[in-house]
Amino acid sequence: MSTGTGTPDPTRRSERSRQAILQATRELVSEVGYAKLSIEGIAARAGVGKQTIYRWWRSKGAVVFDAFLTLSQGAEGIALPDTGDIEADLRTVLRATVAEFADPAFEGPIRALTLEISADPELAAQYQEKLAAPVEEAKRERLRAAQRAGQVAADADLDLALELLYAPLFQRWLFRSGPLTPEYADALVEHTLRALRPD
Amino acid sequence: MSTGTGTPDPTRRSERSRQAILQATRELVSEVGYAKLSIEGIAARAGVGKQTIYRWWRSKGAVVFDAFLTLSQGAEGIALPDTGDIEADLRTVLRATVAEFADPAFEGPIRALTLEISADPELAAQYQEKLAAPVEEAKRERLRAAQRAGQVAADADLDLALELLYAPLFQRWLFRSGPLTPEYADALVEHTLRALRPD
Amino acid sequence: MSTGTGTPDPTRRSERSRQAILQATRELVSEVGYAKLSIEGIAARAGVGKQTIYRWWRSKGAVVFDAFLTLSQGAEGIALPDTGDIEADLRTVLRATVAEFADPAFEGPIRALTLEISADPELAAQYQEKLAAPVEEAKRERLRAAQRAGQVAADADLDLALELLYAPLFQRWLFRSGPLTPEYADALVEHTLRALRPD
Amino acid sequence: MSTGTGTPDPTRRSERSRQAILQATRELVSEVGYAKLSIEGIAARAGVGKQTIYRWWRSKGAVVFDAFLTLSQGAEGIALPDTGDIEADLRTVLRATVAEFADPAFEGPIRALTLEISADPELAAQYQEKLAAPVEEAKRERLRAAQRAGQVAADADLDLALELLYAPLFQRWLFRSGPLTPEYADALVEHTLRALRPD
DNA sequence: GGGTAAGCGAGACGGTACGTCATGTCTTGGT
DNA sequence: ACCAAGACATGACGTACCGTCTCGCTTACCC
């Protein structure tokens, strides 16, 4: 019996079409950029009717979001390196992040995703839950180990710690307001750890 | 005889139209949001031909940018409070920033401006030069005073210091990833100063 | 094993669905008009799958046709009044026809049927056979009686006679090119009989 | 100063586009038929934006109507042949009409026009005024001459006379309910004149 | 002080994309 | 096997804007 809400039945959904749409979206974001991406274009590239997109996604942003969310999924139970030296480990991780942001292939998609998330609170929540949360938990876990090892103050605010590490990096990337170098990564690690140092 | 470059003659420019366009843009960003803003709408609201907009601005983003840039102009030679206590002064300033970001009237315009800047490097450069630079210089100057007073390490990287103070704040606002409270501002100040403390 | 022709088995046909479809079609033609009638709408109103319509009818026109054909069926063995006075009898009949055409409730359905018939020769043939033929035969029979009574020329072309009587009426209705009044009906009868008068 | 009604300014209208649209419409009606004609198709064939069509015509029907109206225009001050013999003259005219209707090249366009007119009273009025009226006046004038010559009753209803002549012909064509032959034309003339004969 | 060339308002134009609706086909699950 | 339900590819709908263009008009500036 129908609920009358017009909500489509997910069991009838064509996995084939879903994949084609996400694939086409990924390709088009890379090729023409987010601003010139259109539902019409995605549908054409995917060999799919526009209605099939509108049936399953609320907006262009939601499709883009899903396209890259699906890519990164499966990143469950990740853990950061733990050599016992928190500073060295964070350097490794932040240098890797810097390298990732510098990769021009990531530029388009991540910018698209960023704009989408900042414009749509609902997508932001989804992003937080599905993608950011597990990664952040892994990072927090590494910091907790450092706390146990006495390298970080026992009462440190770990959420704030993560922001001190990553927000400056992200802001430089977003606004192109400064160079993203390994040295910059090191400096962020050094300053953050100094701020968190046990008395 | 025309040079054929199509470059308009700025001396002929109608100040009346310019103001009407910027005014209409400000109103419309507030009313319908940045995403639904259109050149057509601006022209209609301003009682102006579309061509007049295209003649003087490269893109919708440039108009929006100018609309809010004009608003904030005149902020020359600003200086931060200096009571001699760097921590107290920074708390004052950051708490003010937090309050500003929390103001819902700022939400729309600032988000629009942020998106525009992150999408268009040329606007980003203009923003940096005309709006951000003087403000940042004032902040840097206050930190330099703190260095002279021995409250901050003499060799501290002041640009990095500003990022540690402001980037986490900005990121929370942009992604709505956490509460913006006076306590949060205080925590940022405290951690940053600890990171910059002289040995 | 299937023959592969796709021809449905009429013995399996659901009379319940058939009636619901024809009923829904009649209602919708009245409510939204023929131009805005859709298979989708009929199926929804009838609580029937679209496929059930496509299985049993060739086109929207065929459904509409059937819907009103079914209405008028059972009009077998009709006979026109015969008082012995052909002129009086024809006046009675034509005045009744005029009244029928003037009824606004007939407007929608008959227009729909007319368009359908004029656009699809196959439906036209069906219409002619199932609906028009018996009525025309009754009219022809009345004229034959008039011939026997010497009121109409023995060699008159009765098909042409019917056209002279009804085509002007129908054309006025179809194109709204003139008033449909009892006097008009009388004038048609008078002129037609004069044209058919025995020498 | 704008009236604010959104009515477009006809002096700015592009004659080039108008002609291209009407031309494309005529071609497409012939090629794909009226039912499969689309605004989208007309715009594409004419090399014109869809809006340009919607700006100047209310509906697909109005475009089709104009397309053929424009064709037939200039038929001012037409006169029927007058040899002094009304029967011979009408035979000539009706035989010509029969031939016209039999021409398969006319089939599509005239059917399209007919459907349009019968579905839209406003177009019907326009048709009546711009196309039908002058032709009918010419026919009525020829009948008036016959009245003066004593070949037709002085008090005959000429509008009814025209209907008796043409409505049967038109109905046969519309419903394909009988052959359209020269003999049929002659029979119509003969019967009509008998109905109109002076006492 | 009269001509001329710019900016201006207006808005038509060829386009692209929007989001919706209906088409006719196909598949699933229920009877 | 038919049926209700409804997803699907397709394609047209009518609307909103895009950025370009062409109209008259006002408004300097230059001879």
Side-chain angles (χ1 to χ4, degrees):
Chain A
M1 182 180 151
S2 162
T3 61
T5 58
T7 311
D9 175 355
T11 69
R12 290 233 187 281
R13 183 168 191 175
S14 159
E15 183 59 20
R16 200 178 188 294
S17 294
R18 187 174 159 272
Q19 288 302 344
I21 289 163
L22 297 178
Q23 173 67 21
T25 302
R26 266 175 248 126
E27 293 172 13
L28 286 170
V29 165
S30 298
E31 289 172 26
V32 306
Y34 179 71
K36 294 202 173 175
L37 183 68
S38 70
I39 298 272
E40 202 121 324
I42 296 171
R45 170 76 65 108
V48 134
K50 279 197 289 178
Q51 202 65 296
T52 300
I53 300 181
Y54 285 110
R55 186 156 27 234
W56 301 110
W57 286 276
R58 289 189 308 104
S59 67
K60 184 177 80 168
V63 184
V64 172
F65 181 81
D66 251 29
F68 292 101
L69 178 129
T70 304
L71 246 193
S72 313
Q73 216 136 34
E76 297 294 319
I78 33 170
L80 261 54
D82 187 348
T83 64
D85 179 348
I86 182 67
E87 181 159 7
D89 289 352
L90 286 180
R91 283 184 182 198
T92 304
V93 170
L94 241 73
R95 280 170 172 243
T97 303
V98 160
E100 213 176 320
F101 274 139
D103 181 346
F106 268 52
E107 193 70 12
I110 303 190
R111 282 209 126 79
L113 202 51
T114 300
L115 295 197
E116 221 47 65
I117 286 168
S118 73
D120 182 339
E122 188 166 325
L123 289 182
Q126 240 184 297
Y127 170 80
Q128 182 59 31
E129 182 197 340
K130 298 209 182 135
L131 281 183
V135 175
E136 290 187 351
E137 182 47 31
K139 292 172 184 166
R140 245 184 265 110
E141 186 47 42
R142 180 64 191 85
L143 289 177
R144 261 185 236 118
Q147 285 180 312
R148 287 189 295 269
Q151 296 167 328
V152 160
D155 63 348
D157 178 338
L158 300 188
D159 285 329
L160 182 61
L162 290 181
E163 288 178 345
L164 288 171
L165 277 172
Y166 286 96
L169 189 57
F170 173 76
Q171 185 175 267
R172 278 208 177 183
W173 171 78
L174 183 61
F175 293 144
R176 290 170 265 249
S177 53
L180 292 182
T181 61
E183 292 72 35
Y184 180 61
D186 294 351
L188 282 173
V189 170
E190 190 196 330
H191 281 79
T192 300
L193 287 181
R194 204 177 302 167
L196 302 175
R197 199 185 303 163
D199 304 307
Chain B
M1 182 179 158
S2 160
T3 61
T5 60
T7 309
D9 175 354
T11 68
R12 292 261 190 164
R13 182 167 192 177
S14 159
E15 184 58 19
R16 198 178 189 294
S17 294
R18 188 175 158 271
Q19 289 302 343
I21 288 163
L22 297 178
Q23 174 67 22
T25 301
R26 266 176 249 124
E27 292 172 12
L28 285 170
V29 165
S30 297
E31 289 173 24
V32 305
Y34 179 71
K36 293 201 172 176
L37 183 69
S38 70
I39 299 275
E40 203 114 351
I42 296 171
R45 169 76 65 109
V48 134
K50 282 196 290 176
Q51 202 59 256
T52 302
I53 299 181
Y54 285 111
R55 201 178 349 255
W56 301 109
W57 287 274
R58 289 191 306 107
S59 67
K60 184 177 79 167
V63 184
V64 172
F65 182 82
D66 252 28
F68 292 100
L69 179 128
T70 304
L71 246 195
S72 313
Q73 217 135 34
E76 296 295 319
I78 32 168
L80 262 52
D82 188 346
T83 64
D85 179 348
I86 182 68
E87 182 160 6
D89 290 351
L90 286 181
R91 283 185 182 200
T92 304
V93 171
L94 241 72
R95 280 169 172 244
T97 304
V98 159
E100 213 175 320
F101 274 140
D103 182 346
F106 269 51
E107 193 71 13
I110 303 189
R111 281 210 130 78
L113 202 51
T114 301
L115 296 197
E116 218 48 66
I117 286 167
S118 74
D120 182 339
E122 188 166 326
L123 289 181
Q126 244 185 294
Y127 170 80
Q128 182 59 31
E129 182 196 342
K130 299 207 182 136
L131 281 183
V135 176
E136 290 187 353
E137 182 47 31
K139 292 172 186 166
R140 241 184 267 110
E141 186 48 42
R142 180 64 190 83
L143 288 177
R144 259 184 238 118
Q147 284 180 314
R148 286 190 294 270
Q151 295 167 329
V152 161
D155 63 348
D157 178 340
L158 300 187
D159 285 327
L160 182 59
L162 290 181
E163 288 176 344
L164 287 172
L165 277 172
Y166 286 96
L169 190 56
F170 173 77
Q171 185 176 268
R172 277 207 176 184
W173 171 78
L174 184 61
F175 293 146
R176 291 169 263 250
S177 53
L180 292 183
T181 61
E183 292 72 34
Y184 181 61
D186 294 350
L188 282 173
V189 170
E190 188 197 330
H191 281 79
T192 300
L193 287 181
R194 206 179 301 166
L196 301 175
R197 198 186 301 163
D199 303 306
Chain C
M1 185 179 154
S2 160
T3 61
T5 59
T7 311
D9 175 354
T11 69
R12 292 262 190 166
R13 182 167 192 177
S14 157
E15 183 58 19
R16 199 179 187 293
S17 294
R18 189 174 158 271
Q19 288 303 343
I21 289 163
L22 297 178
Q23 174 67 21
T25 301
R26 265 175 250 125
E27 291 172 12
L28 286 169
V29 165
S30 297
E31 289 172 26
V32 305
Y34 179 70
K36 293 202 173 175
L37 184 68
S38 71
I39 298 276
E40 203 110 46
I42 295 171
R45 169 76 65 107
V48 134
K50 283 196 290 175
Q51 202 57 258
T52 302
I53 299 181
Y54 285 110
R55 204 180 344 258
W56 301 109
W57 287 275
R58 288 191 307 108
S59 69
K60 185 175 81 167
V63 184
V64 172
F65 181 81
D66 253 28
F68 293 101
L69 179 128
T70 304
L71 246 194
S72 313
Q73 216 138 34
E76 294 295 319
I78 31 168
L80 263 52
D82 187 347
T83 64
D85 180 349
I86 182 68
E87 180 159 9
D89 289 351
L90 285 180
R91 283 185 181 197
T92 304
V93 170
L94 240 74
R95 280 171 172 241
T97 303
V98 159
E100 212 176 321
F101 274 140
D103 181 347
F106 268 51
E107 193 72 13
I110 303 189
R111 281 209 128 78
L113 203 52
T114 300
L115 296 197
E116 220 48 64
I117 286 168
S118 75
D120 182 338
E122 188 165 325
L123 289 181
Q126 243 185 294
Y127 169 80
Q128 180 59 31
E129 183 197 341
K130 298 207 182 137
L131 282 183
V135 176
E136 290 187 352
E137 182 47 30
K139 293 171 184 165
R140 242 182 267 108
E141 185 47 43
R142 180 65 191 82
L143 290 177
R144 259 183 239 117
Q147 284 181 312
R148 286 190 295 269
Q151 295 166 329
V152 162
D155 62 347
D157 177 339
L158 299 189
D159 286 326
L160 182 60
L162 290 182
E163 289 177 345
L164 288 172
L165 276 172
Y166 286 94
L169 190 56
F170 172 77
Q171 185 175 268
R172 277 206 175 184
W173 171 79
L174 183 62
F175 292 146
R176 290 169 262 250
S177 53
L180 292 182
T181 59
E183 292 72 34
Y184 180 61
D186 294 350
L188 282 173
V189 170
E190 188 196 330
H191 281 78
T192 301
L193 287 180
R194 207 180 299 167
L196 302 174
R197 198 186 301 162
D199 303 307
Chain D
M1 180 181 155
S2 162
T3 60
T5 58
T7 310
D9 175 354
T11 69
R12 290 232 186 283
R13 183 166 191 177
S14 159
E15 183 59 20
R16 198 177 189 296
S17 295
R18 189 175 157 271
Q19 289 302 343
I21 288 163
L22 297 178
Q23 174 67 23
T25 301
R26 267 175 247 124
E27 292 172 12
L28 286 169
V29 165
S30 298
E31 289 173 26
V32 306
Y34 179 71
K36 295 203 171 174
L37 183 68
S38 70
I39 298 273
E40 202 122 323
I42 295 171
R45 169 77 65 108
V48 135
K50 278 198 288 177
Q51 203 63 289
T52 301
I53 299 181
Y54 286 112
R55 184 152 33 233
W56 301 109
W57 287 274
R58 290 190 305 105
S59 67
K60 184 177 80 167
V63 185
V64 172
F65 181 81
D66 251 29
F68 293 100
L69 179 130
T70 304
L71 246 194
S72 313
Q73 216 137 35
E76 296 294 318
I78 32 169
L80 262 53
D82 188 347
T83 65
D85 178 349
I86 182 66
E87 180 159 8
D89 289 350
L90 286 181
R91 283 184 181 197
T92 304
V93 170
L94 241 74
R95 280 170 170 242
T97 303
V98 160
E100 214 176 318
F101 274 139
D103 181 345
F106 269 52
E107 192 71 12
I110 302 188
R111 283 211 126 77
L113 203 51
T114 299
L115 296 198
E116 222 46 68
I117 287 169
S118 73
D120 183 338
E122 189 164 326
L123 289 182
Q126 240 184 299
Y127 169 80
Q128 181 59 31
E129 183 197 342
K130 298 208 183 134
L131 281 183
V135 175
E136 290 187 351
E137 182 48 30
K139 292 172 184 167
R140 241 182 268 109
E141 185 49 41
R142 180 63 191 83
L143 288 176
R144 260 183 237 118
Q147 286 180 312
R148 288 189 294 269
Q151 295 166 328
V152 162
D155 62 349
D157 178 339
L158 299 188
D159 286 326
L160 182 61
L162 290 181
E163 288 177 346
L164 288 172
L165 276 171
Y166 286 95
L169 189 55
F170 173 76
Q171 185 175 269
R172 278 206 175 184
W173 170 79
L174 183 61
F175 293 144
R176 291 170 263 248
S177 53
L180 292 182
T181 59
E183 292 72 34
Y184 180 61
D186 294 350
L188 284 173
V189 170
E190 189 197 328
H191 281 79
T192 301
L193 287 181
R194 206 178 302 168
L196 303 174
R197 198 185 302 160
D199 304 307

